[in-house]
Amino acid sequence: MILVHVLDPIPQKNDESKAIFINGQEITQVTSTKFLGIVMDEKLDWSAHKEHLIKKLRSATGALCRIKRSIPPEHYMKIYSSLFESHMGYGITVWGGVLQEKSNDNVFITQKHCVRVLFGDLKAFLNKHATCARARPFGFQKLGAEFYSKEHSKPIFNQIKILTVQSLFKYHCITELYKIMKFRTPYSLYNTISISQRDQSYTIILPMKTNTFLWKASMAWNAIHKHIFKVSDGFATSVSTIKQRSKSIILSCQALNDPQLWTPENFDLSAIKMIPKPVYAKPNLEQHIEVAV
């Protein structure tokens, strides 16, 4: 008896049998593509979008550095929001789940550079290079680590009330999730949210752990929702009120612990337990009653 082994041919890259056609046009396989301003890669780890975003933010930082001397300081926050934060916050609820909760995240490093350029102490920076080594006193010709250390960015963030990129992601997640539950749109996302009925506290039953919007937003919501609205008010609270209170709580988390150095608690909403729970007064309805004549 003779045994014959039939081996499958080695698949070729241009194998037309495995190609995908739509209306007679072949769909080319690529590693990444841009859709509505978001760069999606084949692994959906958003690394391609982060690289694209960092290049765009560095370009915006260079533009801000060139024009800042021609703009009054009171308008720095406006140009930061329009030329830098607008790019950083675009679609952040989609790709922001891969941000590292650390101070060495690549996007956060770029943000800190921009904040130093716009709001940092320019005179102190220029004074470092005001004299050469020969003009310095004897014994101070060599520059130590203090000379090369950068200005601490945490005091600038807390003074100007700027959200870090990690906090900006949580802020948008909380507000978007609240709008989904309040207006029940889009219904496809609202239908996937399960609210616990145990104590009527609007706690969300967490789905499977992932880096997607639904899980990250649910985690942020469960950590903060008792601090931003009353259970008795429920979804009658306006979206603008939720935005204002959420930003206030997140900024308080950013200012915890060391006033100079970033700590893990500054990127974790579970540290909200260290902040006193605010008490919101009920509106005086008697002042808003209008009598029809």
Side-chain angles (χ1 to χ4, degrees):
M1 179 181 293
I2 301 175
L3 298 178
V4 179
H5 297 274
V6 180
L7 300 178
D8 294 333
I10 300 176
Q12 302 295 328
K13 294 184 178 179
N14 298 326
D15 189 1
E16 295 183 358
S17 62
K18 297 184 179 180
I20 301 176
F21 293 85
I22 297 180
N23 294 330
Q25 184 176 1
E26 183 179 357
I27 305 300
T28 307
Q29 183 179 356
V30 295
T31 57
S32 63
T33 184
K34 182 185 289 187
F35 180 72
L36 297 178
I38 304 295
V39 181
M40 298 183 295
D41 55 88
E42 58 184 355
K43 297 181 180 179
L44 287 181
D45 58 2
W46 308 110
S47 58
H49 179 76
K50 288 182 67 175
E51 294 177 1
H52 172 74
L53 177 63
I54 290 173
K55 292 179 181 179
K56 184 180 292 186
L57 294 180
R58 288 174 179 173
S59 177
T61 302
L64 293 174
C65 183
R66 290 190 295 269
I67 67 175
K68 65 170 294 187
R69 296 186 180 181
S70 304
I71 299 176
E74 58 268 18
H75 297 308
Y76 284 176
M77 192 61 193
K78 294 181 180 179
I79 63 175
Y80 169 81
S81 300
S82 59
L83 299 180
F84 188 90
E85 191 175 78
S86 60
H87 295 296
M88 185 176 63
Y90 179 76
I92 194 171
T93 54
V94 177
W95 60 268
V98 298
L99 290 169
Q100 298 180 6
E101 302 293 332
K102 300 178 182 178
S103 60
N104 60 351
D105 182 81
N106 294 335
V107 182
F108 186 40
I109 291 174
T110 309
Q111 183 188 16
K112 290 189 292 184
H113 180 209
C114 180
V115 169
R116 291 190 186 101
V117 168
L118 269 181
F119 308 103
D121 191 352
L122 180 61
K123 293 183 178 179
F125 176 76
L126 294 177
N127 287 337
K128 288 185 177 182
H129 306 275
T131 59
C132 63
R134 295 180 179 180
R136 298 189 190 101
F138 179 76
F140 294 92
Q141 287 82 6
K142 293 184 179 181
L143 301 176
E146 184 179 357
F147 177 85
Y148 296 100
S149 62
K150 299 179 180 179
E151 181 182 5
H152 291 290
S153 60
K154 186 176 180 179
I156 305 176
F157 275 83
N158 295 331
Q159 181 181 0
I160 310 298
K161 305 297 182 183
I162 298 177
L163 292 176
T164 65
V165 63
Q166 296 92 339
S167 299
L168 190 66
F169 167 68
K170 296 180 179 66
Y171 168 76
H172 282 287
C173 282
I174 293 168
T175 54
E176 291 299 325
L177 186 64
Y178 179 76
K179 288 191 289 185
I180 292 172
M181 294 187 295
K182 179 181 176 68
F183 303 111
R184 301 188 178 186
T185 54
Y187 188 77
S188 58
L189 283 178
Y190 173 76
N191 196 32
T192 59
I193 299 174
S194 300
I195 301 178
S196 175
Q197 303 296 331
R198 180 176 298 179
D199 54 356
Q200 296 182 352
S201 62
Y202 295 97
T203 301
I204 297 178
I205 301 175
L206 294 177
M208 184 180 298
K209 183 177 180 180
T210 58
N211 285 331
T212 59
F213 162 78
L214 187 59
W215 190 81
K216 290 285 187 177
S218 300
M219 285 287 295
W221 173 262
N222 289 344
I224 201 176
H225 76 278
K226 293 183 180 179
H227 291 72
I228 58 179
F229 81 116
K230 291 184 177 181
V231 177
S232 57
D233 297 338
F235 295 121
T237 309
S238 64
V239 176
S240 59
T241 302
I242 294 297
K243 287 183 176 181
Q244 180 182 1
R245 294 175 180 175
S246 299
K247 186 174 182 179
S248 177
I249 293 295
I250 295 173
L251 287 173
S252 300
C253 289
Q254 284 187 184
L256 289 174
N257 298 339
D258 196 306
Q260 301 290 332
L261 302 177
W262 296 101
T263 59
E265 288 77 11
N266 301 137
F267 307 101
D268 188 5
L269 279 182
S270 61
I272 199 174
K273 301 176 182 178
M274 305 170 61
I275 304 173
K277 188 175 181 180
V279 178
Y280 300 112
K282 293 184 177 180
N284 190 359
L285 299 179
E286 298 179 357
Q287 298 179 357
H288 299 279
I289 298 178
E290 297 182 358
V291 180
V293 180

